[in-house]
Amino acid sequence: MHITQHTDYALRVLIYLASNEQRLVTIQEISERFEISRSHLMKVVNQLIRNGFVEGLRGKGGGLRLARPPQQIAVGDVVRRMETDLALVECFHETSRCLLTSTCQLKGVLGAALEAFFASLDKVALSEVLGPSQRALLHVLKRAP
Amino acid sequence: MHITQHTDYALRVLIYLASNEQRLVTIQEISERFEISRSHLMKVVNQLIRNGFVEGLRGKGGGLRLARPPQQIAVGDVVRRMETDLALVECFHETSRCLLTSTCQLKGVLGAALEAFFASLDKVALSEVLGPSQRALLHVLKRAP
DNA sequence: TAAAAGAGTCAATCTAAATGAATCTTTTGG
DNA sequence: CCAAAAGATTCATTTAGATTGACTCTTTTA
């Protein structure tokens, strides 16, 4: 059971942006910091923008910033939107060829468990997964004029 | 996010065995019923036996049967023991090279979500995922002498 | 004691994720 | 206005892990 690195990177990007809320951050910078290839990271960021978590400003002097304050970004939401395939097992698909599909209750049971998984993640905001020092920084920034 | 087919098959095997509690079932039979290669299925069954869910009786006239009544087999337990790698993201590993690992709270948050996932599955017994007709059969069998 | 049944090993295959090169498009500072 | 900075898109390659199946044991009992 895994979450794709794509989603993993997305969370890292958001955490990084949250820790640098006061300025624009370029993909270049993030890719260097995390040692991830620029073009790969680009795709991750793209998806974050398309899903409304991040704002991307093009052109000279452009960069990235959170589209909403980190208190309003639920971790569960991010994972849900970044993971493209949430079909835990074959019988989640219409095309399932398992001969039990029609009668067995597994699909519902696993579906409920998946919901519990996301419900747990939904309770946590991006601002809460930052390290103590980063959170302190956030706090200071909020109090600044 | 996926569960391996290995685990998927394991659940199918258990369901099949639960629906045929009154007799021994051979791997051969299951592999034909589910159209899975015999040697592949063998590995799945092996793991089920090693984990104490199934009893395998060798030799002529042998076969498989549940090691415990299906009411005492939790779906969560099966998934937990069949899935070999439950490290959701890189930072679950000791060797994580993510520079956030030390400070960020993601690991704990995702870990808690995973627990919620399994807690949900633990509430369900194998006997509860059988189809209505199969469950009815179980019921009848229990009442028989 | 031979046949049935499970156990184990090994290598091939297949798939989806991950990667990265190359080429767009947009924007703005000078 | 236009060159440079920055994000957007496309495409092909690589890689890791899951899946598969052939082949060879070992155990057991009719």
Side-chain angles (χ1 to χ4, degrees):
Chain A
M1 211 161 127
H2 283 279
I3 276 176
T4 62
Q5 243 178 77
H6 210 70
T7 303
D8 188 6
Y9 287 164
L11 289 167
R12 296 190 202 182
V13 167
L14 290 177
I15 289 172
Y16 192 79
L17 291 182
S19 314
N20 293 278
E21 254 194 312
Q22 75 287 5
R23 65 184 178 90
L24 289 178
V25 177
T26 67
I27 288 183
Q28 184 70 40
E29 174 183 340
I30 302 177
S31 85
E32 281 166 13
R33 274 311 203 71
F34 289 98
E35 295 174 21
I36 302 170
S37 97
R38 191 174 150 282
S39 40
H40 185 41
L41 192 58
M42 200 82 87
K43 283 151 211 162
V44 175
V45 168
N46 258 253
Q47 210 173 328
L48 282 173
I49 292 176
R50 266 186 272 115
N51 281 291
F53 295 115
V54 168
E55 267 182 343
L57 304 180
R58 293 181 173 197
K60 214 168 186 173
L64 308 170
R65 67 177 169 218
L66 291 183
R68 286 175 275 156
Q71 290 80 4
Q72 290 173 29
I73 298 180
V75 173
D77 232 30
V78 178
V79 176
R80 219 189 317 262
R81 289 179 185 272
M82 296 301 294
E83 286 291 304
T84 47
D85 185 2
L86 287 175
L88 282 181
V89 291
E90 180 185 340
C91 61
F92 274 60
H93 295 115
E94 289 297 331
T95 57
S96 171
R97 286 179 306 106
C98 172
L99 80 162
L100 293 173
T101 304
S102 59
T103 62
C104 101
Q105 311 292 310
L106 212 49
K107 188 173 170 181
V109 169
L110 288 170
L114 196 59
E115 274 176 39
F117 177 82
F118 281 117
S120 173
L121 289 183
D122 281 338
K123 282 189 245 147
V124 184
L126 179 59
S127 53
E128 296 173 83
V129 297
L130 305 181
S133 57
Q134 297 166 321
R135 236 180 306 175
L137 181 64
L138 256 188
H139 208 245
V140 169
L141 290 168
K142 280 189 68 175
R143 298 165 70 96
Chain B
M1 213 161 125
H2 282 279
I3 276 177
T4 63
Q5 242 178 76
H6 210 69
T7 302
D8 189 5
Y9 288 164
L11 290 167
R12 295 191 202 180
V13 167
L14 290 176
I15 290 172
Y16 192 78
L17 291 182
S19 313
N20 292 279
E21 252 193 314
Q22 74 288 6
R23 65 184 179 92
L24 290 178
V25 178
T26 66
I27 289 183
Q28 184 69 40
E29 174 182 341
I30 302 177
S31 86
E32 280 167 12
R33 272 316 202 68
F34 288 97
E35 294 174 22
I36 303 171
S37 97
R38 191 173 149 282
S39 41
H40 184 43
L41 192 59
M42 200 83 85
K43 284 152 209 159
V44 175
V45 168
N46 258 251
Q47 210 173 329
L48 283 173
I49 292 177
R50 265 186 274 114
N51 281 292
F53 295 116
V54 168
E55 267 184 341
L57 305 180
R58 293 182 172 198
K60 212 168 187 172
L64 309 169
R65 66 175 168 219
L66 292 183
R68 285 175 276 155
Q71 291 81 4
Q72 288 173 30
I73 297 179
V75 173
D77 231 31
V78 177
V79 175
R80 218 190 317 261
R81 289 179 184 272
M82 298 300 295
E83 286 290 304
T84 48
D85 186 0
L86 287 174
L88 282 180
V89 292
E90 180 185 340
C91 60
F92 273 60
H93 295 114
E94 290 298 331
T95 58
S96 171
R97 285 181 307 105
C98 172
L99 80 162
L100 294 174
T101 303
S102 58
T103 62
C104 101
Q105 311 292 310
L106 211 49
K107 189 174 167 180
V109 169
L110 287 171
L114 196 58
E115 275 176 39
F117 177 82
F118 281 117
S120 174
L121 289 183
D122 281 337
K123 282 190 243 142
V124 183
L126 179 59
S127 53
E128 296 173 82
V129 298
L130 305 181
S133 56
Q134 297 165 320
R135 235 179 308 175
L137 182 62
L138 255 187
H139 208 245
V140 169
L141 289 170
K142 280 188 69 173
R143 298 164 70 96

